[in-house]
Amino acid sequence: MAPSRNDTTVSAWRPSVPGVVEVFHAHFTEYAYPMHVHEAWTLLIVDDGAVRYDLERHEHGTPLDTVSLLPPHVPHNGAPATPLGFRKRVVYLDSSRLSDDLIGAAVDTPDQRDPLLRHRVGQLHTALARPGEELEAESRLTFVAERLVRRLRPRPAATARPDGPAPARRLRELLDERTVEGLSLEEAGRLLDAHPAHLVRAFSGAYGIAPHQYLNSRRVERARGLLLAGARPAEAAVGTGFYDQAHLTRHFRRLVGVTPGRYRSSSR
């Protein structure tokens, strides 16, 4: 529902990340949402100001260290709690990430004061805002969803699976085979018959690097070879699976220390 106030900045998009329905960033100063519902889960953090809202006839608020999770199908509203309004980041998730049996617990405790969860949600939004970083976003979302489920539905710690480094090795082989075309964690989980969170933990524990970092480093390695062979940076980006030249440049500079163009011009 579009606000009518002028002091408004919004940005919305749908990334290619399984489970994500929409990402919505907004700055509102005076606009107040009327009572409404969503079909998706609303995962909300506030970066400036605060939001006051009603959920199931109970008033709630969103200080800066809070992660708010509003369940689907439950009416809620929202209004600025400070004179300067609020700046928020929201990701809407479908039931593949959070099942409907968590709705009751989310209604009872929609605001989670958890610094680690707050930090991870911020990291998720950073990845979601970068085209080409879908695997990183999916990895981060997996851990965010897992922590939310743990807080809403406490359970005894699961016994570690006695499969040693096998999942990590098999995921690395998949990433090596699919370096250019890429691989989602959801697909990897189906192929390897393992939960995505378990795959990320096993891989990171075995190799000291997250799957998305490993994939990007392999792509940069291939790009170096193409650049030394005379390819232009834009060609190297397309040929190694990066979203575009800017995506290649960001990771290339981080791993090599210079831009792809400078690296190419330095070759003899």
Side-chain angles (χ1 to χ4, degrees):
M1 186 174 299
S4 59
R5 301 290 184 177
N6 292 326
D7 298 331
T8 297
T9 302
V10 300
S11 177
W13 68 98
R14 178 174 292 177
S16 299
V17 176
V20 176
V21 176
E22 180 187 332
V23 182
F24 183 71
H25 294 180
H27 176 211
F28 294 137
T29 54
E30 299 180 7
Y31 176 71
Y33 287 97
M35 294 298 290
H36 63 288
V37 298
H38 296 287
E39 292 186 8
W41 289 86
T42 302
L43 182 61
L44 163 72
I45 58 175
V46 174
D47 296 309
D48 290 307
V51 179
R52 188 210 67 79
Y53 68 94
D54 298 300
L55 181 74
E56 281 282 284
R57 298 178 296 280
H58 290 87
E59 184 173 329
H60 300 276
T62 59
L64 292 179
D65 60 348
T66 299
V67 174
S68 296
L69 181 67
L70 310 184
H73 317 302
V74 180
H76 62 275
N77 57 10
T82 64
L84 297 179
F86 60 88
R87 184 163 56 89
K88 68 176 183 177
R89 288 180 286 173
V90 183
V91 57
Y92 295 98
L93 305 173
D94 66 25
S95 59
S96 70
R97 291 294 181 175
L98 298 169
S99 59
D100 287 351
D101 66 339
L102 298 171
I103 289 178
V107 169
D108 293 338
T109 55
D111 301 317
Q112 303 290 329
R113 304 197 74 165
D114 182 337
L116 177 58
L117 178 61
R118 176 64 172 77
H119 177 66
R120 286 181 173 175
V121 174
Q123 290 179 315
L124 169 62
H125 276 281
T126 298
L128 288 169
R130 294 174 173 172
E133 301 296 353
E134 287 79 13
L135 180 59
E136 177 182 354
E138 190 181 0
S139 298
R140 297 197 182 282
L141 176 56
T142 295
F143 284 121
V144 166
E146 182 184 58
R147 191 167 183 86
L148 285 167
V149 171
R150 186 179 298 132
R151 291 185 66 90
L152 294 173
R153 188 170 58 211
R155 65 180 66 181
T159 304
R161 290 174 55 174
D163 47 15
R169 184 182 66 253
R170 292 163 65 199
L171 178 55
R172 186 184 66 180
E173 291 170 351
L174 276 176
L175 292 173
D176 288 342
E177 294 170 2
R178 304 272 292 272
T179 298
V180 176
E181 57 269 43
L183 178 75
S184 72
L185 283 178
E186 185 178 55
E187 182 180 2
R190 290 197 302 268
L191 292 172
L192 302 180
D193 190 27
H195 191 279
H198 177 71
L199 285 177
V200 176
R201 281 203 180 88
F203 194 95
S204 301
Y207 302 116
I209 187 173
H212 68 271
Q213 294 172 316
Y214 178 84
L215 179 63
N216 285 328
S217 67
R218 288 301 314 275
R219 287 174 169 173
V220 167
E221 181 182 26
R222 290 194 177 194
R224 292 174 74 157
L226 292 176
L227 292 167
L228 291 179
R232 297 192 301 271
E235 295 171 332
V238 172
T240 54
F242 285 103
Y243 180 80
D244 56 16
Q245 184 174 336
H247 188 204
L248 166 65
T249 298
R250 181 165 66 247
H251 289 287
F252 199 95
R253 182 186 287 123
R254 182 181 298 131
L255 293 175
V256 183
V258 296
T259 65
R262 186 172 176 184
Y263 180 84
R264 177 177 181 266
S265 65
S266 69
S267 64
R268 298 180 181 177

